[in-house]
Amino acid sequence: MPDHPAIDIESVLKEDRKFPPAAEFSRRALIKSMAELEALSRRAAEDPEGFWKECAGELFWFKPFTKVLDWNFPWVKWFVGGELNASYNCIDRHLAGPRRNKAALIWEGEPGDSRILTYQMLASEVARCANGLRSLGVKAGDLVAIYMPMVPEAVIAMLACARIGATHSVVFGGFSADALRDRINDAEAKVCITADGGWRRGQIVELKRNVDEALKEAPSVHKCVVLKRCGNHVEMRAGRDVWWDELMDAQKAVCEPVSVDSEHPLYTLYTSGTTGKPKGVVHSTAGYLLHVLMTMKWVFDIKDEDIFWCTADIGWVTGHSYTVYGPLAAGATVVMYEGAPNAPANDRFWQIIEKYRVNIFYTAPTAIRTFIKWGDEWVHKHDLSSLRLLGTVGEPINPEAWMWYHKVIGREKCPIVDTWWQTETGAILISPVPGATPTKPGSATRPLPGIAADVVTREGTSVGPNQGGFLVIKRPWPGMLRTIFHDPDRYKKQYFEQIPGVYTTGDGARCDEDGYFWIMGRVDDVINVSGHRLGTMEVESALVSHPAVAEAAAVGRPDDLKGQALVCFVTLEGRRKGDDRLREELRNHVGKEIGAFARPDTIRFTDALPKTRSGKIMRRLLRQIAAGDQALGDTTTLEDLSVLARLREDEE
Ligand code: PRX
């Protein structure tokens, strides 16, 4: 593993506050007490397969499974022999009762337009889209790329793929044309679904233009479906591009769901790893769907009358699991918002909560820190009394931000669920259960029932209470990734060979005397900027692809707002000297290669990077220099000590 210090970190966080759930909340909750939760966890630990088998009764099966688990380390199959359809589970089975007329999606556009789709309306739209995709030649097993703004059609497109057994690959609308092209090519997508544009802070994000650029070098795509959202001018390539409306209007509003195997890949989603190439995480149908559904119940305590809002974009796993598959499988009502939290003003989120009387609100710590900065007056303009439960995800939440969320948004009444999980885990693994678990600000608390999490040494031995170590999962769980698309070797190496016999998460953690987990951040070369995972290698490859750059190293620096800021050390070709113009050019270059969210915060030019005698860049030193640390610890392996002195002199 890389030379990251996380394992040596002395946790300085001393947090003794404890918040038991309010009696009123517990009384009405699905899981009402610690005793109830512990009984469930015990049952799951004693007989994991029996436990998950019982849970699986919550899904609608076309054909029952014959075996719960087939674990051939590290390859897993859940619910062997079973058949089902994800869109049927998310839609059709709610049509038989009163949920048929219930709002499935409450959508708010950034300009203030809104739409509500009941489960029946969603059923018709999904069927039309599924038939439309079929008419373009999409079959079960094909891959469809979705590059959309946050509009209902993004959800419709995902469910339509699921309906006909196609595997979707959603690419976040903030990714650049180049990043989109790489993802389409890796997936060998046949069809791409996009929009003319999407609204973001009053501006049009020109998605179709990026698609045109990407498709110049993406030969697998033979059809592109374009939704008219913003009305901006787009080029339509004859024979390849079709308008969403024209395609769907011609279709029937019914479409038989395809019965797929439990293990059929529902989707792939690209995420950053330690090497330059993003990896396509593959998720199954049955295990994934069951896991997201169970966590809607355990963690979000979802009730039929709830209005649930997860603010994540559909392009990230949180949007997949907790805007689409989890809530819809649970028959819930979800809010979906197209734009920025400060459009037109800093109170847009609070205005939406008030407008729709949202009950459960799920967002990221980086957003919470931004709200704190904007000031409480924006919150106080609105009536947030409908809220009953709050959640966070994506990075550790600092206790100050937790307390603000608790006091200002939750009015000291709402439990906070700090949910730990990853793109690879599919759904939440470690989290409070709100009617049962007393919370401690900054801790994701305990693993959910059926999840065997532990903190271990590099050799795999459990460490004692309050000792730092590697966070691992010791038994398979239904929502786990099944492989890396086209790269099973990487799946094996990255997750199952670093520490013997277990799934390695890449996070450092410690477990306190109550068995509560405190996540200490990544132990690999992945940094977390505003809750977005970025492989430092990806940023480095982007920088090195610029003709002026000889070598680059990207590291994270602690940042009050974003969690981590991206700092890049760059050496230039020849005798070229760096200046502000080049700095800006390099920032833009990374923006073009990956997307604006990956633009480095700081670029530091240097004539050499600190390396070990074997030639490895010493990232630990760079991280410390970036953070402004004076004591750099052990530098005995450094090849040329003068590099360090020069780097320090260069400090901005
Ligand atoms: O480092 C952990 C952090 O986010 C990583 C996963 O990122 P990604 O796959 O993009 O998924 C984000 C949304 C699930 C983890 O390895 N992380 C996520 N949730 C938490 C967290 N760190 C601390 N506390 C959390 N609640």
Side-chain angles (χ1 to χ4, degrees), residues 66-82:
T66 49
K67 190 174 174 201
V68 178
L69 173 66
D70 182 349
W71 182 219
N72 176 19
F73 184 89
W75 308 105
V76 74
K77 287 186 183 148
W78 281 92
F79 311 115
V80 181

Side-chain angles (χ1 to χ4, degrees), residues 318 394-396 418-423 507 519 522 528 533:
T318 311
E395 55 181 311
D418 173 351
T419 64
W420 179 90
W421 58 297
Q422 311 177 293
T423 305
D507 281 358
I519 310 298
R522 302 287 305 183
N528 197 324
R533 246 166 85 172

Side-chain angles (χ1 to χ4, degrees), residues 271-272 316-318 322 362 365 392-397 417-428 430 442-444 471 503 505-508 518-523 526 528 531-534:
T271 189
S272 297
W316 307 112
V317 74
T318 311
Y322 297 107
Y362 188 36
T392 73
V393 59
E395 55 181 311
I397 179 164
V417 287
D418 173 351
T419 64
W420 179 90
W421 58 297
Q422 311 177 293
T423 305
E424 294 87 339
T425 69
I428 299 165
I430 305 178
S443 170
L471 177 63
Y503 169 84
T505 65
D507 281 358
W518 299 78
I519 310 298
M520 288 152 57
R522 302 287 305 183
V523 293
V526 171
N528 197 324
H532 296 155
R533 246 166 85 172
L534 274 176

Side-chain angles (χ1 to χ4, degrees), residues 473-491:
I473 315 294
K474 294 186 150 169
R475 264 203 315 266
W477 65 99
M480 68 190 276
L481 79 164
R482 296 307 196 254
T483 189
I484 298 293
F485 201 63
H486 288 331
D487 203 348
D489 244 27
R490 195 165 167 201
Y491 164 84

Side-chain angles (χ1 to χ4, degrees), residues 553-574:
V555 297
R557 153 168 61 73
D559 182 272
D560 282 350
L561 215 56
K562 299 177 167 191
Q564 283 187 298
L566 183 58
V567 181
C568 299
F569 295 85
V570 170
T571 63
L572 297 177
E573 287 287 358

Side-chain angles (χ1 to χ4, degrees), residues 34-74:
M34 219 40 199
E36 214 178 296
L37 175 60
E38 276 168 359
L40 203 63
S41 294
R42 229 178 359 257
R43 151 104 180 89
E46 282 162 8
D47 175 19
E49 293 183 34
F51 172 76
W52 288 115
K53 182 178 176 186
E54 222 167 84
C55 293
E58 303 265 350
L59 292 180
F60 184 91
W61 298 88
F62 289 142
K63 188 175 155 211
F65 52 89
T66 49
K67 190 174 174 201
V68 178
L69 173 66
D70 182 349
W71 182 219
N72 176 19
F73 184 89

